[in-house]
Amino acid sequence: MMLLSVTLSACVGVAVFTEENQTACDQPADAVHLGEKQRRLLEFLRSKTPLWNPDDHPEIDAAGGAAAWVKKMRQGAERASRKRRKRNR
């Protein structure tokens, strides 16, 4: 790794820039990214848009509702698990 330059960074310390243009200190960028994620989450939570739209999931209605769909999915997973256990004996 060839050192190209050393500069002070906003994260208290020294950031080392390498040929790959990566820094040893990504904390300021991480803080900005975290702040942006928090802002988007709060915006979503405050919105009146429903999280779940049943029209987007017709397979659940076709299965007889959410409880029936979950039961069917769990039975399929259990069946697959039993087959794997049988095979590995």
Side-chain angles (χ1 to χ4, degrees), residues 26-78:
D26 291 328
Q27 291 172 354
D30 291 344
V32 169
H33 180 70
L34 180 60
E36 176 63 18
K37 284 178 71 173
Q38 288 174 338
R39 185 194 62 75
R40 283 187 281 144
L41 177 60
L42 285 173
E43 184 180 302
F44 170 75
L45 292 173
R46 290 179 180 143
S47 75
K48 301 295 181 197
T49 306
L51 177 63
W52 182 266
N53 183 354
D55 296 338
D56 293 339
H57 305 279
E59 70 278 8
I60 293 177
D61 281 338
W69 182 81
V70 168
K71 185 176 181 178
K72 179 181 171 186
M73 297 304 291
R74 286 181 179 165
Q75 287 172 343
E78 182 59 34

